[in-house]
Amino acid sequence: MDEKFKKEQFETLKIKSSVAKKFRRFSRAISKSQSISLLLMIEFFEENGISPTESMGPKMQTLENLIKKRINGVIAILKDIEKGQTKPTVAMLQSLFEESATKKEPLILEKKNSQENQPKYQERINKDT
């Protein structure tokens, strides 16, 4: 970004030495030249429509409150979807699976053949012979 300003001449600004030291530290911290640092700050204030004398507190708080309201709205929508769509569908599917997994009960007409191996009659053995 410094390349397009390379051929421009330098101007002198009169600022207090304590402010100049602070500005130089800030410029080094963002690793830009002093001209670029100042240009970035001016562009930031112009683009966001704020003044350095204004407090950012109320604007940031209103923005934060707006975001919280939106998030709460999304949470309410998700809870409504869960209550109205997801839980009833899961309950219906579970009831279907439980019905198919129940034991097969014998029919009323069906008789149990528990004595199937035992004969219904026994032969007598003649002891006469």
Side-chain angles (χ1 to χ4, degrees):
M1 214 156 99
D2 236 349
E3 294 297 320
K4 59 183 173 181
F5 299 108
K6 195 172 189 176
K7 295 185 179 182
E8 286 189 31
Q9 294 181 352
F10 285 97
E11 290 288 326
T12 305
L13 296 174
K14 289 186 177 187
I15 55 175
K16 301 290 181 180
S17 61
S18 62
V19 176
K21 288 177 185 177
K22 195 171 186 177
F23 180 70
R24 286 186 185 115
R25 267 188 267 129
F26 174 76
S27 296
R28 277 189 230 117
I30 62 172
S31 68
K32 303 286 182 185
S33 68
Q34 292 177 18
S35 298
I36 299 301
S37 298
L38 187 58
L39 179 65
L40 288 173
M41 286 189 284
I42 292 170
E43 287 176 352
F44 172 79
F45 288 121
E46 287 176 347
E47 287 175 10
N48 294 307
I50 55 176
S51 169
T53 58
E54 286 181 9
S55 172
M56 292 287 287
K59 288 188 178 187
M60 294 304 249
Q61 288 173 351
T62 55
L63 181 63
E64 183 180 350
N65 289 336
L66 180 65
I67 290 171
K68 283 182 181 179
K69 285 180 185 177
R70 297 284 183 172
I71 289 173
N72 288 339
V74 170
I75 290 170
I77 290 170
L78 290 174
K79 284 183 179 180
D80 183 53
I81 289 172
E82 184 179 356
K83 286 179 185 175
Q85 294 175 4
T86 309
K87 285 186 179 179
T89 305
V90 169
M92 289 183 347
L93 287 172
Q94 281 181 337
S95 67
L96 287 173
F97 285 121
E98 286 174 3
E99 283 183 24
S100 66
T102 56
K103 294 180 181 178
K104 184 178 177 184
E105 295 181 18
L107 296 174
I108 296 173
L109 299 175
E110 199 174 344
K111 292 182 180 179
K112 287 188 175 181
N113 292 330
S114 62
Q115 299 175 355
E116 193 173 11
N117 295 337
Q118 299 175 356
K120 291 183 180 178
Y121 60 91
Q122 291 181 351
E123 289 184 28
R124 282 193 209 177
I125 302 176
N126 289 334
K127 293 186 178 182
D128 294 338
T129 50

